[in-house]
Amino acid sequence: MTETVYTVTGMTCQHCVASVTEEVTKIEGVQDVKVDLPTGSVTVVSAAELSDDAIRAAIDEAGYELASR
Ligand code: 9UX
């Protein structure tokens, strides 16, 4: 099990948080997603390390931008 913290820009409300959580949760192997709105930090707990492409695509699909990991 691995926990990775990403930074996502553009989230400004709880609906944004819900969208990001929903998309990231869809990634295979993801067990838990915690979003901190004020800082934009997205903590992802997964069985194995996620590919940058997978997390980037999910954030993009939600309508936001992956700033860093
Ligand atoms: Mo409402 Mo959060 O447009 O972007 S979902 S502020």
Side-chain angles (χ1 to χ4, degrees), residues 11-22 35-37 64:
M11 295 185 294
T12 54
C13 75
Q14 284 303 326
H15 300 111
C16 305
V17 171
S19 300
V20 167
T21 301
E22 184 182 338
V35 178
D36 185 65
L37 184 55
Y64 305 94

Side-chain angles (χ1 to χ4, degrees), residues 6 8 11 13-14 16-22 24-25 32-44 59:
Y6 302 90
V8 173
M11 295 185 294
C13 75
Q14 284 303 326
C16 305
V17 171
S19 300
V20 167
T21 301
E22 184 182 338
V24 175
T25 300
D32 194 24
V33 181
K34 283 166 269 185
V35 178
D36 185 65
L37 184 55
T39 61
S41 77
V42 177
T43 304
V44 181
I59 299 296

